[in-house]
Amino acid sequence: MIAEVSDDDASTQDPWPPPAPAPFLGPEPSSSEHAVGDKVALSNGTKGALGLSFSGGSNTMASLSWRDGRFSDWTVQVGEKYYHLHAFLLARASLFFESHMSIASRTEGGSAKGSDLTEVLPSSCHSAFEDALDFMYSENQATFEAPASKALLLLKIADILQISSLFEAMGRRIEAAFAETAPLLLEQYCRFHIPGTDDGAALRMIRDGAVDLIVKKFQPFLTSSEMKRALLRLPARVLAEILDSDELLVAGEDAAFDFVLERLQQSEDGPENPAESDGESGKASPLHADAEDDDEVLWDRVRWAFLSSQKFNQALALSKSMLKPEVTLKALTARTVRFDLGGAEAFLGSTNCIGNLVPRRPILPPGVPPPTSTEIDFCFHYAHSEQYVCGEA
C-alpha cells in the first residue's frame, strides 16, 4: 500500500541527498569592521583588498646619506678629506669601486675597507667629488643638477671612476648649455689636462668645439662677467690659439689689446680667488705659473699695425715689466710697415719683427662689403664745402 504525501508534508522533510556545505570564508567581520563594496574598511581608516595594514609606524624611511656616515662600511680618501660611505651603493654606481672592492676582498682577505682617490683623480677634480657623491646617492638621478662651473669636472670624474649614469647625465647637461658656457667648459678642461696626454675622444671634442665657439663669439662672451673671468683664467698657450685666428669676433684690434692687457695684469697680481689655486694644497694655479713667459706669447698675438693711436700710446706708456723693450720694438716695426712711414723695406724679410699684418674679419651686417684700407686708415670731416679736417677713422 502506497501512502500519499501532500506538498505541504514534503516541504517539511529533510532533502535527500543533503546539499554540500558552503565554503568557509573566514570569520565574520567584527564590530570594528564593515564591508565596503568588495573591499574591507578597517577601523584605522586604511583600506585594502584583504584588510591588511602596517602598524609598525611610519611608512617613510630616511634614505642613506654620505654626509652622516650612518651604517658606513667603506672609507674613501680624497686629498686630506675622508668620506665614510657605503660599499653597496658605490659598487652599484661605479665599475671602478666594484673592481677595487672585488680585488681587495680576494688579495687582502677582506680586511681592506677603503679606497684612496688622491692620486686617481686630478687635484682640480677633488672639489667636485662631493657633487659626484650627491649623484650616486640620489634616489632620483634624473633631477640631479650640476653647476656649469663643475659640469666638465664631473664628466672627468665619471670617466675615471666609470660611472656611466653620471657620464651620460653630464654629457646631456654640457650639450644643452654648450653655446652659453663654452669658456667655462674650456677653463675646466685646462685645469685637469696635462699637455701631451690624451683625455679621450669625448673630452677632446668638447675642448676643440669650445675653442672654435669662443673664436666666433669672443666679444659677446666678454660682456658676461662669468664667461670673461673664465677666459682670463685660460693658460697663455690656449689664449694664443684663440687670438691667432683671423676669424676672432671683435669690433676692432683695441678689444684684443684690452683683453691681453687685463690678462697680463691679472697674472702679475696672482690668482684673484682661492678657487684658482691647485686643489687644497694652496699652490699657485698652473694658469699663472709661467706668467713671465705669458707676456711675450700674448703680446705677439696683438696686431699692432691695426691698433688705434690711443691704444698704441697707452701700450707705449706701460712699464718695462709689462711691455718688454723687444715687444715694443716689434710693435713699432709693425706700425712702420703698415703705414709705410719710410724705411720699412728693411723689415719686410723678417716676419718675427713685424708680427701679423692681416686684419681681423670686421663685424659687419650681412651683405655689407668689408671696408677698404682708405676707409679704416683715415677719414675727412666736413663742416662745409671749404672746411674739413683729416684724421683717423
Side-chain angles (χ1 to χ4, degrees):
M1 181 175 181
I2 302 174
E4 295 182 0
V5 180
S6 66
D7 293 340
D8 295 338
D9 294 337
S11 63
T12 60
Q13 295 179 2
D14 295 333
W16 189 265
F24 177 73
L25 299 178
E28 293 294 329
S30 64
S31 59
S32 63
E33 303 174 351
H34 60 277
V36 181
D38 59 348
K39 295 184 181 293
V40 177
L42 305 182
S43 58
N44 62 4
T46 304
K47 297 179 180 180
L50 298 178
L52 304 178
S53 66
F54 178 72
S55 59
S58 173
N59 292 331
T60 60
M61 296 181 62
S63 58
L64 290 177
S65 171
W66 62 266
R67 299 180 186 277
D68 56 23
R70 190 165 55 101
F71 307 128
S72 64
D73 56 356
W74 195 266
T75 301
V76 174
Q77 180 181 358
V78 181
E80 297 180 357
K81 291 187 176 181
Y82 291 83
Y83 300 92
H84 302 288
L85 308 175
H86 305 88
F88 172 74
L89 292 177
L90 296 177
R92 182 180 64 177
S94 164
L95 290 177
F96 172 89
F97 281 116
E98 192 276 336
S99 176
H100 188 198
M101 292 172 187
S102 298
I103 295 174
S105 64
R106 292 195 303 266
T107 59
E108 301 181 24
S111 59
K113 295 294 182 181
S115 305
D116 187 354
L117 302 184
T118 303
E119 300 298 330
V120 176
L121 299 177
S123 58
S124 58
C125 293
H126 289 183
S127 61
F129 181 69
E130 293 185 357
D131 296 88
L133 290 178
D134 284 335
F135 179 86
M136 288 189 282
Y137 275 74
S138 174
E139 295 183 351
N140 186 4
Q141 295 178 344
T143 62
F144 176 79
E145 294 185 2
S149 59
K150 292 184 178 180
L152 199 64
L153 300 179
L154 286 169
L155 189 75
K156 181 66 173 179
I157 291 175
D159 186 36
I160 294 174
L161 300 184
Q162 297 179 284
I163 310 173
S164 60
S165 54
L166 178 60
F167 191 92
E168 293 170 0
M170 290 302 99
R172 292 190 297 269
R173 168 73 171 84
I174 290 170
E175 185 175 0
F178 189 81
E180 292 77 30
T181 61
L184 274 178
L185 296 173
L186 183 58
E187 186 265 338
Q188 291 171 65
Y189 176 87
C190 293
R191 286 170 62 184
F192 61 70
H193 174 69
I194 301 174
T197 63
D198 186 3
D199 293 296
L203 290 169
R204 190 167 58 251
M205 182 173 62
I206 292 173
R207 185 264 185 204
D208 294 342
V211 169
D212 291 341
L213 188 59
I214 291 171
V215 167
K216 296 175 183 177
K217 296 177 61 176
F218 186 77
Q219 193 151 349
F221 278 136
L222 294 181
T223 62
S224 166
S225 58
E226 185 179 18
M227 297 304 119
K228 183 178 180 179
R229 285 195 299 269
L231 288 172
L232 289 171
R233 290 195 295 263
L234 291 177
R237 65 180 184 279
V238 178
L239 285 175
E241 180 181 351
I242 294 171
L243 296 171
D244 255 343
S245 175
D246 294 340
E247 306 295 323
L248 188 73
L249 190 69
V250 287
E253 196 61 27
D254 288 6
F257 169 82
D258 288 337
F259 177 81
V260 170
L261 179 60
E262 185 173 355
R263 169 62 169 78
L264 295 178
Q265 288 174 337
Q266 180 176 296
S267 298
E268 276 196 341
D269 298 337
E272 64 181 12
N273 57 59
E276 291 181 32
S277 358
D278 185 6
E280 302 171 2
S281 62
K283 297 178 181 178
S285 167
L287 307 188
H288 301 272
D290 300 322
E292 293 183 2
D293 298 333
D294 291 356
D295 291 23
E296 190 168 355
V297 170
L298 293 178
W299 282 133
D300 280 349
R301 270 63 188 181
V302 175
R303 304 188 180 187
W304 299 102
F306 302 96
L307 209 59
S308 68
S309 298
Q310 180 181 1
K311 290 296 178 182
F312 192 75
N313 289 335
Q314 181 183 350
L316 295 179
L318 294 174
S319 63
K320 292 183 179 180
S321 62
M322 181 65 65
L323 193 70
K324 296 180 180 179
E326 52 268 31
V327 177
T328 303
L329 178 61
K330 288 182 180 180
L332 290 169
T333 303
R335 291 182 76 81
T336 300
V337 174
R338 170 75 176 81
F339 293 107
D340 193 15
L341 300 180
E345 298 81 3
F347 304 102
L348 292 177
S350 176
T351 56
N352 291 333
C353 293
I354 299 175
N356 199 326
L357 291 178
V358 179
R360 302 191 191 276
R361 182 182 295 274
I363 300 176
L364 294 171
V368 177
T372 65
S373 60
T374 302
E375 291 174 315
I376 62 175
D377 285 348
F378 60 88
C379 62
F380 290 94
H381 304 274
Y382 288 92
H384 52 78
S385 59
E386 297 181 356
Q387 294 182 358
Y388 62 87
V389 176
C390 179
E392 288 193 359

